[in-house]
């Protein structure tokens, strides 16, 4: 098998992927090949089915605003799901779906809506134009605009928490680099919840996923939060903003490496960041288990890395991620914002 030396002129900086064959690199960046309980096709089908069912349940409550335009483009829409009992100011968790920047939809991505709204958190599921219609630059711009929209629409929010899975984690991480000044508003970002993401896109250039995504090394670097954070460290706008980088135990070694290296880079840059390997879950289970109220997500006490509060349920994972960091309380019955 030909080594990666043939692709890029030789190993650089000791990155393990540069010493991999094309075949192995393809394997490392194909999450469905690493599932442990289902076959690849069945895992993808189950992931889609659970997402569709969770979204239908969330939409059936009626406590939502669907297909809200956050920009002028046809694909620039978002859904907002509200808790039953709200106060004037809500925490908002904004979610960006995965799908290798080429598939996925907000209409099948409301995995965590039921459990989070039950905990008093509003959830925003964002659509963006996937490839080939959208370029990575456009996706990053759209995600940025969606956050600006939420802040302007709900300026009294208790905090905006960004959550992304896989490609969505990459898009969320790109918001660490956003220049909010040019948008005329600084969003009240309190936390980032990055789930099984890719943060250095250069290896993806050498896989079949590159066909409609990246054409040059410059494209990959421009859209790689890891590259930016290493070459020109960015200081947090809010020093209290926290980041949780997570990866599933059964994600591929490359996904593990990417998550650990992002965590290390952010730590060196002065960010408040934690890393968590989630026990006995693969790339898809790590997200779809968020629909379950009693699933034990990790064997490691979450209070050690995140909350300061005893919690093991995946459904408490994000609410406590939010409530323990903003130091506030929620409650009271009010009208649904936006109605």
């Amino acid at each position: 098998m030909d080594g990666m030396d043939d692709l890029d002129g030789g190993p650089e900086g000791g990155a393990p992927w540069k010493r991999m064959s094309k075949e192995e690199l393809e394997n490392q960046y194909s999450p469905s090949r690493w599932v442990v309980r289902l076959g690849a096709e069945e895992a993808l089908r189950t992931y889609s089915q659970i997402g569709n069912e969770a979204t239908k349940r969330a939409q059936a409550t009626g406590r939502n605003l669907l297909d809200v335009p956050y920009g002028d483009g046809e694909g620039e829409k978002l859904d907002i799901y509200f808790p039953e009992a709200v106060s004037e100011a809500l925490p908002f968790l904004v979610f960006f779906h995965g799908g290798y920047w080429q598939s996925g939809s907000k209409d099948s991505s409301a995995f965590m809506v039921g459990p989070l709204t039950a905990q008093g958190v509003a959830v925003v599921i964002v659509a963006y134009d996937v490839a080939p219609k959208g370029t990575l630059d456009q996706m990053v711009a759209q995600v940025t605009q969606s956050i600006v929209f939420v802040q302007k629409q709900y300026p009294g929010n208790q905090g905006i928490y960004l959550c992304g899975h896989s490609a969505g984690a990459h898009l969320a991480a790109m918001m660490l680099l956003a220049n909010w000044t040019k948008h005329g508003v600084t969003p009240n970002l309190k936390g980032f919840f990055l789930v099984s993401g890719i943060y250095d896109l250069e290896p993806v250039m050498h896989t079949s996923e590159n066909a409609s995504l990246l054409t040059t090394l410059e494209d990959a670097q421009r859209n790689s939060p890891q590259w930016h954070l290493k070459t020109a460290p960015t200081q947090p706008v809010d020093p209290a903003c926290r980041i949780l980088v997570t990866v599933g135990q059964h994600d591929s070694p490359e996904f593990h490496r990417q998550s650990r290296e992002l965590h290390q880079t952010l730590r060196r840059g002065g960010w408040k960041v934690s890393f968590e390997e989630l026990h006995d879950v693969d790339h898809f289970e790590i997200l779809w288990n968020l629909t379950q109220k009693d699933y034990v997500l990790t064997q490691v006490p979450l209070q050690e890395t995140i909350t300061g509060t005893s919690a093991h349920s995946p459904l408490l994972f994000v609410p406590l991620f939010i409530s323990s960091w903003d130091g506030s309380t929620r409650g009271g019955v009010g009208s649904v914002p936006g109605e």
Side-chain angles (χ1 to χ4, degrees):
M1 294 186 294
D2 294 331
M4 287 304 302
D5 292 8
D6 298 329
L7 291 176
D8 61 7
E12 186 177 313
W17 70 266
K18 299 205 179 227
R19 299 186 292 274
M20 292 179 185
S21 68
K22 291 183 180 181
E23 182 181 37
E24 178 58 19
L25 201 59
E26 187 77 22
N27 189 52
Q28 288 284 332
Y29 283 90
S30 299
S32 62
R33 299 185 187 185
W34 296 83
V35 297
V36 293
R37 275 171 279 274
L38 301 172
E41 289 186 8
E42 188 181 356
L44 292 168
R45 186 166 56 248
T46 302
Y47 176 79
S48 178
Q49 178 184 345
I50 292 174
N52 283 326
E53 291 173 354
T55 304
K56 287 178 182 176
R57 285 196 303 271
Q59 292 180 350
T61 67
R63 297 190 303 274
N64 50 57
L65 299 172
L66 304 178
D67 294 319
V68 179
Y70 64 82
D72 297 329
E74 182 183 348
E76 295 174 348
K77 304 283 175 59
L78 52 79
D79 297 336
I80 310 175
Y81 298 92
F82 298 101
E84 185 171 3
V86 302
S87 61
E88 287 301 312
L90 286 168
F92 284 79
L93 183 128
V94 182
F95 179 73
F96 310 111
H97 67 78
Y100 248 126
W101 307 277
Q102 298 167 75
S103 63
S105 166
K106 72 173 176 59
D107 300 322
S108 58
S109 297
F111 295 93
M112 72 297 291
V113 165
L116 292 190
T117 54
Q119 294 285 334
V121 179
V123 180
V124 180
I125 312 290
V126 177
Y128 54 91
D129 286 321
V130 297
K133 181 180 180 180
T135 66
L136 275 166
D137 291 316
Q138 289 170 330
M139 294 177 217
V140 171
Q142 288 175 328
V143 163
T144 305
Q145 184 57 39
S146 73
I147 298 165
V148 169
F149 173 85
V150 172
Q151 180 63 40
K152 288 183 175 179
Q153 192 75 9
Y154 304 103
N157 68 76
Q158 270 189 357
I160 296 174
Y161 299 80
L162 305 186
C163 178
H165 172 245
S166 198
H170 158 267
L171 294 172
M174 285 295 288
M175 298 304 99
L176 296 167
L177 309 165
N179 178 5
W180 301 109
T181 305
K182 69 179 183 181
H183 295 281
V185 63
T186 300
N188 185 25
L189 294 177
K190 292 290 187 70
F192 290 71
F193 187 52
L194 307 177
V195 183
S196 291
I198 299 175
Y199 310 107
D200 174 9
L201 302 192
E202 189 178 349
V204 180
M205 291 182 63
H206 306 294
T207 72
S208 60
E209 301 296 343
N210 182 50
S212 58
L213 281 176
L214 302 160
T215 56
T216 68
L217 178 61
E218 289 71 27
D219 290 331
Q221 291 178 339
R222 187 171 61 253
N223 288 288
S224 292
Q226 170 72 354
W227 185 85
H228 285 282
L229 291 163
K230 270 187 102 168
T231 57
T234 303
Q235 292 299 314
V237 174
D238 179 358
C241 181
R242 300 201 186 192
I243 304 166
L244 177 63
V245 182
T246 68
V247 66
Q249 179 184 346
H250 302 304
D251 267 308
S252 76
E254 271 295 283
F255 273 77
H256 275 256
R257 180 188 65 81
Q258 290 244 3
S259 292
R260 290 185 183 277
E261 288 192 1
L262 180 72
H263 168 249
Q264 292 164 1
T265 299
L266 288 168
R267 234 173 103 185
R268 285 193 293 266
W271 296 80
K272 291 190 175 180
V273 58
S274 300
F275 175 83
E276 188 77 24
E277 178 186 300
L278 302 183
H279 178 70
D280 197 27
V281 291
D282 61 38
H283 189 81
F284 306 99
E285 293 169 335
I286 198 172
L287 189 64
W288 82 45
N289 283 334
L290 287 175
T291 63
Q292 303 175 26
K293 292 184 179 180
D294 57 355
Y295 179 80
V296 177
L297 189 63
T298 176
Q299 304 277 327
V300 180
L302 296 181
Q303 67 267 27
E304 291 181 9
T305 54
I306 311 161
T307 66
T309 307
S310 178
H312 296 272
S313 163
L315 272 302
L316 291 176
F317 196 57
V318 177
L320 287 177
F321 168 79
I322 291 174
S323 63
S324 68
W325 285 357
D326 64 23
S328 59
T329 57
R330 298 185 293 277
V333 179
S335 60
V336 174
E339 287 191 340

